[in-house]
Structure formats: C-alpha cells, structure tokens
Amino acid sequence: MEFETAFKILDAAVLAQTQRHLKDIEVTILRNSWQGKKYGEIAQIHGYTTEYLQHDVGPKLWQMLSAAFGEKVSKKNFQAALERQRLSGSAASPKQLEAILQPQNLMSSDSQVKKGSKGNGEVLLTNEQPQLNAEVEFPVGQVPLTSSFYVERPPIEDLCFQEILQPGALIRIKASKQMGKTSLMARTLDEARKHGCQTVALSFHLADKAVFTSLDTFLRWFCESVGRKLKQLHQLDDYWSIYGSKDKTTAYFEECLLEEIDSPLVISLDGVDRIFPHRDIAEDFFNLLRAWYEYAKYGDRSSELWKKLRLVLVHSKEVYIPLNINQSPFNVGLSIELQEFNQEQVQILVACHQGLNWTDTQVKKLMDMVGGHPYLVRLALYHVQHQDITLEQLLQTAPTEAGIYSDHLRGHLCNLDDHPSLVAAFSQVVKSLVPIELDSESAFKLHSMGLVVYCNDNKVMPRCNLYRQYFQHRLS
C-alpha cells in the first residue's frame, strides 16, 4: 500500500471519529513514521522538538487512531493495524473516500489542505503558516518555526536577522534555561537560509563525554559534525595527521569547506557552556573561534573565504573561565541577552490560546507569581487552556510539589544541592523582603542559573515570587 492511499484511509477514519481531518503535524508524523523514521529524525527535519512530538502530538495521534480503529494503535504497529482495517472491510469505501476528499471538504482546523497534481497521481499541498488560536503546544524545548506561540521581543529578532547576513558575523545569545535561546537561534538560521546561506546546527549537549577527553578528540568531533552535515567528510583524514589540532581544523575548514561552497556558511553552536568545565579545551577552542572571526577582518585573500563563515554561540551560563581579552569570542560581535516577556508580550501569548479571554487583572496575577518567564508563562497557559486547572488553583499550588511547576523547581533544587555555598547564599535572598548584596561569585552563579535578577545597585532578588515561596520552605 502506498502512503497516499494509507493517508486517505487514516484521514477518513479520523474524520468519522472526531469530525475533523488530520492536521499538518499529524500527517508529518504519519508520513515519516511510514518511512521508518524515529521521532528525533522527524523533529530535526521539520523544525520541531523531539519531546513535543514524542510526548505530546504522537501519543494523542495514536490514541485518536486507536479509538477510530477499535484496537491499540502505536507508532510501531499502525501500518499493520491499517492493513487489518483494509482487509476486514472496516476502512472507508472508495465512494466514501471520494466524497471526503472533495476540495471543499479538505479543510483541517490548522490549515487548508488542497489538491495538486504531480505526474498521474495526487499530492497534498498544505499551508503551514502559523495562525492564532492554533491547537496549543506543550512548551518543551524549541518553539517550532511554524508555531504561532513564538512571541517576538523587538528589536532582538531584527538585530539578529540583520547581523547574520554580515560577512564574518558572530552572534552571542545568552540567557538562563528555558528563556527562548534555541528558538531565537533557529529563527536566525531560518532567516539565513532564506538569503541563500547554508546552515549547520550543532548542540554540545549531544556530544558524548568522551568527546571532551582531549583537544584533538574534541576538534575531530567538531570537524566531523560539520563536515557530515555538509557532506564534505571525504578529505578529513588527510588533514588529521601530523599538524597541530587547531592548525588542521583551520586548514580543513578553509580548504575543504569554505573553498568548496559558493554561499555563506552559518554554524550555530548550542550549549556552549558545556565546554566551560574543560578549561584546556575551552581556552583553545574559543581562541580558535576568535581567530577565525579576526581572519575575516584582515582584508587579505584568505579573508574573503573567512567572510563566508558566520557563527552563532548560544549559552546559558556566564563565561567564568578566564580568557585573554584579545583571544575571546565573548567580547566581539553582537551580544544578545534575552529578557523576560513584558506584560504586553504575555498578553499576546494569552491571545494565541483559544478560549482564554483573560482580563489585564488575570494576566497581572500570573505575572505576580512567575514574572514574564517564557516557559513558566506558557506552561500555565497550556494547563489552563486544557482545563486541567483554573488560574486560581494554579496560583495556589504553584510553589508546592502538587503544582504544575514541581519538576522545574526540583531541577533548580538539585542544581543547588551540588553547590552548598550557593544554597546558603540563595537562602539569604529568598528570606529577605528587599534586594540584598551577595559576594560577586555567588551572585554571578545564581544569576547564571536564572534564580536571581540584578537590581540597579548590583544587589539581587529572586527572579519571581514562585522561586521565593518554594525555596523559602525548601531551604529553611
């Protein structure tokens, strides 16, 4: 059975069960699962997060198909279940399919699906532009490029979009966890692709521990990761011989990558702070990135090659390793530090959630608890929109183990437990009703973790009342 035939049967079954057609993202999962792809592969190809597909959209899709087919349906067995439906005669008849698939009926709740032609068969053309009041997404990881739940923070996006098109550009995006760094990075890369750039996205979070055992191993992994995505690995072994690690990395990039491509190359490096604990590797690697940035400024023949390279560095922690001011990539280029949403931006996000006609007072109540923290706000809206909990119940249980933020809060607590000196310092902060002054190192690290914010006089206070209330009890 071809997938297009399978799709018609699946869509008819869903329509009969739910009175709606399959949505674009559901078709994406089905089509790629039909080809044997895993959630991680699907997420990478289509700009979603693995967690979102695997723990939100996927389970709902299989549950819906189980109800439609009258048997347990999963990612592993849906093709077999579909074949059983066809053989048993339970699937929609050709006449039913013909009626269901008339152009006027091909309207999904998220996008318009219409007929097109390719050869002698039919294909489905979808409009994947984001719309307001789309089905709410569970807020895990990167906000998909097509999502309507991404809220811009002007002028940050425009600054990044303009800078990434500059020869030899370097952009540094910093914020604590779950503040939207990766989502901004993805949109910056998407803007670069629209202007003809090739892009490579690397995450150091995905590197094995063994990668960090030596500079040579680390740089070999780095070159292989970039070369594989550009399909330029065939000459790497020729360079990995007698030269020093930084020399052969530079030669490989210059001669095998930059000389071989006509378009600019944008490389994003996510999770850069994972390198910080490996001081020897960090110093040499960051010196190398700074050198490449400088090469583009020299004005000689080779600088024309290095102007093709643009870098986006993403990290959550402050750069606490000492680097020579003339050899650091963290004091050049465009620096972006993401801030929380303001009230207007939170109201925009509320408006994206169907049925949440909140007043300014309701928005203020939520922000009094969690501030404008993007993840904390979105998680609240997700649960209230799904009617799992009312706003009043959410605010009452928020700083407790019974609340929706328990996993988030326990994560911070575990991080603090690894640093007894920070426990003592943060305990002082949450017990004080006014901003207080800490030693510079403690304030620096607590700010990097996202637990405190600086005031104008370099004193600190808890990032939000949620943290104050939870940790007042936990650190007492």
Side-chain angles (χ1 to χ4, degrees), residues 149-256:
F149 296 99
Y150 180 82
V151 177
E152 292 189 355
R153 284 174 266 195
I156 286 175
E157 285 80 8
D158 284 344
L159 289 173
C160 289
F161 294 171
Q162 293 169 18
E163 184 66 20
I164 203 61
L165 301 180
Q166 302 305 311
L170 190 152
I171 301 175
R172 295 173 283 116
I173 302 174
K174 186 180 83 68
S176 54
K177 291 182 178 180
Q178 299 175 313
M179 285 286 289
K181 302 182 301 299
T182 307
S183 298
L184 175 60
M185 178 199 78
R187 281 154 180 79
T188 302
L189 265 61
D190 186 57
E191 181 70 12
R193 285 192 294 271
K194 290 176 182 177
H195 287 80
C197 300
Q198 294 192 55
T199 63
V200 172
L202 295 184
S203 174
F204 293 112
H205 294 303
L206 300 179
D208 296 335
K209 290 181 180 179
V211 167
F212 300 95
T213 55
S214 71
L215 178 65
D216 196 72
T217 301
F218 174 81
L219 290 179
R220 173 75 188 223
W221 174 86
F222 177 62
C223 289
E224 285 186 356
S225 299
V226 176
R228 185 183 307 113
K229 294 195 176 186
L230 294 174
K231 303 192 185 311
Q232 293 286 347
L233 267 179
H234 54 282
Q235 290 179 291
L236 181 57
D237 287 335
D238 296 337
Y239 286 84
W240 228 258
S241 54
I242 61 174
Y243 300 108
S245 299
K246 291 195 291 184
D247 286 339
K248 56 195 177 189
T249 300
T250 299
Y252 175 69
F253 264 76
E254 187 173 74
E255 298 171 16
C256 291

Side-chain angles (χ1 to χ4, degrees), residues 28-246:
T28 295
I29 290 178
L30 288 168
R31 185 183 298 277
N32 285 272
S33 298
W34 188 270
Q35 298 168 356
K37 291 186 174 68
K38 298 179 180 179
Y39 281 118
E41 296 175 283
I42 302 172
Q44 185 175 16
I45 293 170
H46 295 279
Y48 297 99
T49 63
T50 304
E51 292 86 353
Y52 177 51
L53 298 184
Q54 188 169 0
H55 300 298
D56 190 298
V57 183
K60 291 177 182 176
L61 172 61
W62 308 127
Q63 184 178 11
M64 180 171 60
L65 290 176
S66 296
F69 283 6
E71 64 172 289
K72 181 68 174 177
V73 178
S74 67
K75 188 173 184 294
K76 292 182 178 179
N77 78 343
F78 84 98
Q79 293 190 49
L82 182 62
E83 185 66 18
R84 285 193 291 272
Q85 290 288 312
R86 189 180 68 83
L87 293 175
S88 67
S90 300
S93 68
K95 287 187 177 181
Q96 288 174 314
L97 287 174
E98 183 179 357
I100 290 169
L101 295 172
Q102 288 300 313
Q104 65 267 26
N105 292 329
L106 288 173
M107 295 290 293
S108 73
S109 61
D110 280 339
S111 63
Q112 184 176 0
V113 185
K114 53 190 177 179
K115 283 186 182 179
S117 62
K118 183 177 181 181
N120 296 322
E122 291 182 344
V123 295
L124 293 170
L125 307 177
T126 61
N127 174 11
E128 295 186 345
Q129 294 300 314
Q131 301 176 17
L132 290 180
N133 292 329
E135 182 172 339
V136 69
E137 304 160 356
F138 188 75
V140 177
Q142 176 193 321
V143 181
L145 291 175
T146 56
S147 172
S148 62
F149 296 99
Y150 180 82
V151 177
E152 292 189 355
R153 284 174 266 195
I156 286 175
E157 285 80 8
D158 284 344
L159 289 173
C160 289
F161 294 171
Q162 293 169 18
E163 184 66 20
I164 203 61
L165 301 180
Q166 302 305 311
L170 190 152
I171 301 175
R172 295 173 283 116
I173 302 174
K174 186 180 83 68
S176 54
K177 291 182 178 180
Q178 299 175 313
M179 285 286 289
K181 302 182 301 299
T182 307
S183 298
L184 175 60
M185 178 199 78
R187 281 154 180 79
T188 302
L189 265 61
D190 186 57
E191 181 70 12
R193 285 192 294 271
K194 290 176 182 177
H195 287 80
C197 300
Q198 294 192 55
T199 63
V200 172
L202 295 184
S203 174
F204 293 112
H205 294 303
L206 300 179
D208 296 335
K209 290 181 180 179
V211 167
F212 300 95
T213 55
S214 71
L215 178 65
D216 196 72
T217 301
F218 174 81
L219 290 179
R220 173 75 188 223
W221 174 86
F222 177 62
C223 289
E224 285 186 356
S225 299
V226 176
R228 185 183 307 113
K229 294 195 176 186
L230 294 174
K231 303 192 185 311
Q232 293 286 347
L233 267 179
H234 54 282
Q235 290 179 291
L236 181 57
D237 287 335
D238 296 337
Y239 286 84
W240 228 258
S241 54
I242 61 174
Y243 300 108
S245 299
K246 291 195 291 184

Side-chain angles (χ1 to χ4, degrees), residues 11-12 29 56 61 143 191 193 226 229 241 246 260 277 280 284 353 361 390 400 416-417 440 449 455 463 474:
D11 192 54
I29 290 178
D56 190 298
L61 172 61
V143 181
E191 181 70 12
R193 285 192 294 271
V226 176
K229 294 195 176 186
S241 54
K246 291 195 291 184
E260 295 297 322
D280 291 341
D284 281 323
H353 291 70
T361 301
T390 66
T400 72
L416 282 172
D417 285 343
S440 59
M449 295 168 70
C455 302
R463 175 176 285 277
R474 284 293 173 181

